[in-house]
């Protein structure tokens, strides 16, 4: 499975959450707007039917069908209505005005996707105290569709714009928030190379600040542990290959160095053995301090001799010293 960065994963998750939330809000707004426009058309149709019935009542009472026709045509020609029907109390059509639904502006797929109900408004026109006709008015959905289409486009554009701004802001915030993780990675890699650093403890995100503090303490502990181990190794090497009294190399080091030199093909080495006598007598006369002084003096002479011939000086035991040369000196 291909690995992804934490920032990419968070961006994808936040983008999905934003798309889901944006889709829900967009759908809710669209449904709310559609229902509002449907209620508006229903109110418009009912108010028109009531008003038209009141206007037609005097004409029906006077039996003036021409006035009835003129009143209906004047209202219908305004273009806000899809159908106006006058029906007698017995159910016979007195007057019908209807136009096919043609909506300009919104695309056809939008109209098919979001159907708008066109309620019928009804009222009764009277002739005196008797019913003369039933008035039915159906509003034209063109205006409502245009209004819904404009609202949908506007909401979509605003949603996309806010989404782009939000995405940039989220990326910037994530980059800023996850910066300590990159610093921690760098600290770990440098620690593996023996370089120890410290991260800033303060961080806007509390948990990452705690992790930075823990990483700093761990780095300091590892550095201190390695320093102690290095000092211990140096001390052990000093004790293992150096003579305590003179500070010169001891027998173990001289033997190891000689064996290593002899193991190399074509390597020529020289080994000079120096013995300073009288150490036992001096120890008997002056005690251990006197003998130690003689040994130190002999070590100083041996060191001078080794430096003159570019060799390595060491103490074998007692008053015996050796000088290991890189090549046999004449």
């Amino acid at each position: 499975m291909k690995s992804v960065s934490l920032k990419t994963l968070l961006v994808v998750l936040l983008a999905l959450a934003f798309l889901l939330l944006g889709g829900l809000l967009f759908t809710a707004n669209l449904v709310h707007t559609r229902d509002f426009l449907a209620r508006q058309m229903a109110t418009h149709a009912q108010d028109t039917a009531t008003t038209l019935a009141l206007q037609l009542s005097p004409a029906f009472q006077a039996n003036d069908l021409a006035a009835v026709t003129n009143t209906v045509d004047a209202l219908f020609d305004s273009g806000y209505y899809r159908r106006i029907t006058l029906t007698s109390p017995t159910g016979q059509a007195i007057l019908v005005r209807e136009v096919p639904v043609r909506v300009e502006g919104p695309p056809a797929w939008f109209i098919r996707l979001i159907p708008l109900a066109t309620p019928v408004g009804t009222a009764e026109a009277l002739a005196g105290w008797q019913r003369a006709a039933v008035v039915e008015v159906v509003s034209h959905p063109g205006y409502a569709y245009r209004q819904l289409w404009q609202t949908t486009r506007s909401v979509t554009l605003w949603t996309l714009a806010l989404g782009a701004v939000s995405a940039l802001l989220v990326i910037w915030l994530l980059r800023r928030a996850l910066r300590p993780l990159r610093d921690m990675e760098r600290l770990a890699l440098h620690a593996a190379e023996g370089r120890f650093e410290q991260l800033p403890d303060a961080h806007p995100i509390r948990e990452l600040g705690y992790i930075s503090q823990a990483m700093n303490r761990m780095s300091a502990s590892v550095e201190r542990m390695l320093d102690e181990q290095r000092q211990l190794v140096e001390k052990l090497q000093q004790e293992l290959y150096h003579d305590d009294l003179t500070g010169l190399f001891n027998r173990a080091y001289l033997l190891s160095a000689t064996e290593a030199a002899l193991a190399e093909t074509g390597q020529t080495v020289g080994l000079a053995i120096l013995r300073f006598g009288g150490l036992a007598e001096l120890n008997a006369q002056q005690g251990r301090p006197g003998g130690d002084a003689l040994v130190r003096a002999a070590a100083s002479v041996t060191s001078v001799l080794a430096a003159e011939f570019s060799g390595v000086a060491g103490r074998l035991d007692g008053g015996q010293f050796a000088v290991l040369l890189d090549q046999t000196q004449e």
Side-chain angles (χ1 to χ4, degrees):
M1 180 179 178
K2 187 177 180 181
S3 62
V4 295
S5 65
L6 178 60
K7 183 177 73 174
T8 302
L9 180 60
L10 290 176
V11 168
V12 171
L13 292 177
L14 289 175
L16 291 176
F18 178 81
L19 288 176
L20 179 60
L21 179 61
L24 291 176
L25 293 176
F26 177 80
T27 303
N29 179 75
L30 186 61
V31 172
H32 174 75
T33 304
R34 184 194 64 180
D35 294 343
F36 171 77
L37 291 173
R39 290 192 301 269
Q40 191 178 48
M41 284 193 300
T43 302
H44 178 253
Q46 184 59 50
D47 291 346
T48 302
T50 302
T51 302
L52 183 58
L54 292 175
Q55 292 176 349
L56 294 178
S57 292
F60 277 114
Q61 187 172 3
N63 199 22
D64 189 354
L65 295 180
V68 170
T69 303
N70 291 334
T71 302
V72 172
D73 288 342
L75 182 64
F76 184 76
D77 291 340
S78 64
Y80 292 106
Y81 306 98
R82 184 169 67 89
R83 186 176 70 248
I84 297 178
T85 305
L86 300 182
T87 307
S88 67
T90 59
Q92 296 179 350
I94 300 174
L95 182 64
V96 177
R97 295 290 184 266
E98 185 176 8
V99 294
V101 177
R102 288 194 298 269
V103 182
E104 297 180 359
W109 62 265
F110 181 78
I111 297 174
R112 290 193 302 269
L113 182 64
I114 308 176
L116 268 175
T118 52
V120 180
T122 61
E124 293 182 351
L126 302 176
W129 295 101
Q130 297 180 350
R131 289 194 307 166
V134 177
V135 180
E136 293 184 354
V137 177
V138 180
S139 298
H140 197 288
Y143 172 79
Y145 270 119
R146 287 192 295 270
Q147 184 69 25
L148 185 60
W149 173 245
Q150 292 174 1
T151 302
T152 302
R153 291 180 56 188
S154 177
V155 171
T156 302
L157 292 177
W158 275 107
T159 302
L160 293 177
L162 291 176
V165 173
S166 300
L168 294 176
L169 182 61
V170 165
I171 292 174
W172 179 78
L173 289 175
L174 286 176
R175 181 175 298 177
R176 183 179 178 86
L178 297 179
R179 184 178 302 170
L181 295 180
R182 294 193 296 271
D183 295 337
M184 294 174 193
E185 179 184 5
R186 186 180 68 251
L187 182 144
L189 293 176
H190 288 176
E193 299 172 357
R195 295 181 293 165
F196 298 93
E197 303 173 354
Q198 291 291 310
L199 299 174
D201 293 338
H203 192 271
I205 300 179
R206 184 183 306 168
E207 288 75 8
L208 291 180
Y210 292 158
I211 295 176
S212 296
Q213 295 174 12
M215 291 288 291
N216 288 335
R217 289 194 293 269
M218 183 189 69
S219 177
S221 299
V222 172
E223 183 179 12
R224 183 171 59 254
M225 181 182 64
L226 291 179
D227 287 340
E228 292 175 354
Q229 290 183 349
R230 182 166 53 251
Q231 294 174 4
L232 179 61
V233 170
E234 291 176 355
K235 181 180 179 181
L236 292 176
Q237 288 179 344
Q238 181 72 18
E239 294 176 352
L240 181 63
Y241 291 118
H242 288 79
D243 181 64
D244 294 336
L245 179 61
T246 63
L248 299 179
F249 289 109
N250 58 15
R251 175 188 291 270
Y253 176 81
L254 291 173
L255 292 177
S256 175
T258 301
E259 291 177 359
L262 292 176
E264 297 183 9
T265 305
Q267 180 71 21
T268 303
V269 297
L271 182 65
I273 306 296
L274 306 177
R275 184 178 183 278
F276 293 88
L279 180 61
E281 292 79 1
L282 188 59
N283 283 332
Q285 295 176 2
Q286 300 183 6
R288 185 66 177 268
D292 291 345
L294 177 61
V295 172
R296 293 191 187 95
S300 177
V301 173
T302 305
S303 297
V304 172
L305 182 63
E308 183 178 353
F309 291 96
S310 301
V312 176
R315 181 188 178 195
L316 297 177
D317 58 15
Q320 289 188 345
F321 294 83
V323 176
L324 181 64
L325 305 174
D326 291 339
Q327 58 184 7
T328 303
Q329 302 293 326
E330 294 293 340

